[in-house]
Amino acid sequence: MSKVILITGASRGIGRSAAILAGRRGWSVGVNYASNAAAADETVAAVVAAGGKALAIHGDVSDEAAIVAMFDATEKAFGKLDGVVNNAGIVAPGSALADMDIARMKRIFDINVLGAYLCAREAARRLSASRGGKGGSLVNVSSAAARLGGPNEYVDYAGSKGAIDTLTIGLAKELGREGVRVNAIRPGLIETDIHASGGKPDRAQVLGVQTPIGRPGTADEVGESIVWLLSDASSYVTGAILDVAGGR
Ligand code: NAP
């Protein structure tokens, strides 16, 4: 069955890979982005080239009204909603906690935690059977940082991802009988732009060779896991937190 999926932060990186892999299955994708419209348009073109349908949707996940609007836009464009990927996330330049200011921490928690919780809430409202929904799958993108802690780099980011793991555990139980599966992916060191935005463009490469598998991961390797969790092939999987981290 062809699915309709909304992916936050799908203009680049892991979200883009998941969108294209969804397109390869013939699915339709709401491609949310924050500011990079050109990158979102490239993702849309790649999804269509892969065999799916796609719509670029501008919206910042730290804005509640924008979240509601991106869900509305996806349902309006494609007629239904089957799955949501809570993928949008940011890091800030490496720092000890003692040197972090509140503006930085608020931004991390607004986008990574509140944004994800509000998207999960919106998914729960629209997909839950008791609210008239047809069920579906929510995939939360956490991070290996949730269990490693991010010392001297970003304990704020690591904590924000710990909240994503806890959301996954709780909401999977809350929605188990509502036809909604809730799972998380914990990527490790994946080659995307996020490391440059944290001030270390070569971070995944440098640290990736120290992982048990001996290299960083690709966005596609994470995207494959996301799309599997969205698909009916994972129909008995809920409340799972899957490490895609090369054994790190
Ligand atoms: P990325 O390459 O930096 O891409 C980030 C994406 O999120 C972009 O599409 C960006 O949109 C979007 N975005 C950023 N802030 C947003 C906001 N406020 N509202 C809506 N969209 C927003 O990042 P990535 O590496 O693919 O990361 C994706 C997810 O994986 C994040 O949650 C991240 O924490 C997690 N993760 C990544 C790694 C890794 O090594 N790469 C490891 C563990 C976990 P624009 O293009 O418009 O800026």
Side-chain angles (χ1 to χ4, degrees), residues 57-147:
I57 308 170
H58 176 252
D60 188 322
V61 296
S62 66
D63 174 350
E64 182 181 13
I67 289 172
V68 173
M70 69 180 76
F71 275 77
D72 285 346
T74 303
E75 287 181 324
K76 186 166 176 236
F78 305 119
K80 61 171 187 164
L81 184 69
D82 300 300
V84 176
V85 185
N86 237 334
N87 169 74
I90 59 161
V91 295
S95 167
L97 179 65
D99 297 319
M100 289 180 196
D101 62 28
I102 189 166
R104 167 202 168 114
M105 289 192 270
K106 272 196 167 153
R107 192 168 136 71
I108 293 282
F109 281 91
D110 273 355
I111 293 173
N112 293 6
V113 180
L114 262 183
Y117 268 69
L118 288 171
C119 286
R121 185 194 71 182
E122 209 53 37
R125 285 181 175 173
R126 296 178 194 232
L127 299 177
S128 295
S130 65
R131 292 169 186 262
K134 295 203 190 77
S137 172
L138 171 64
V139 180
N140 297 320
V141 180
S142 172
S143 170
R147 54 182 168 71

Side-chain angles (χ1 to χ4, degrees), residues 9 11-12 14 34-36 60-61 87 142 157 161 188 190 192 195:
S11 45
R12 295 182 286 122
I14 291 168
S35 58
N36 198 334
D60 188 322
V61 296
N87 169 74
S142 172
Y157 171 83
K161 294 302 187 177
I190 311 300
T192 71
H195 306 289

Side-chain angles (χ1 to χ4, degrees), residues 20-46:
I20 295 169
L21 291 165
R24 214 173 275 171
R25 290 176 178 241
W27 296 353
S28 302
V29 186
V31 174
N32 162 250
Y33 67 101
S35 58
N36 198 334
D41 288 345
E42 275 177 39
T43 301
V44 167

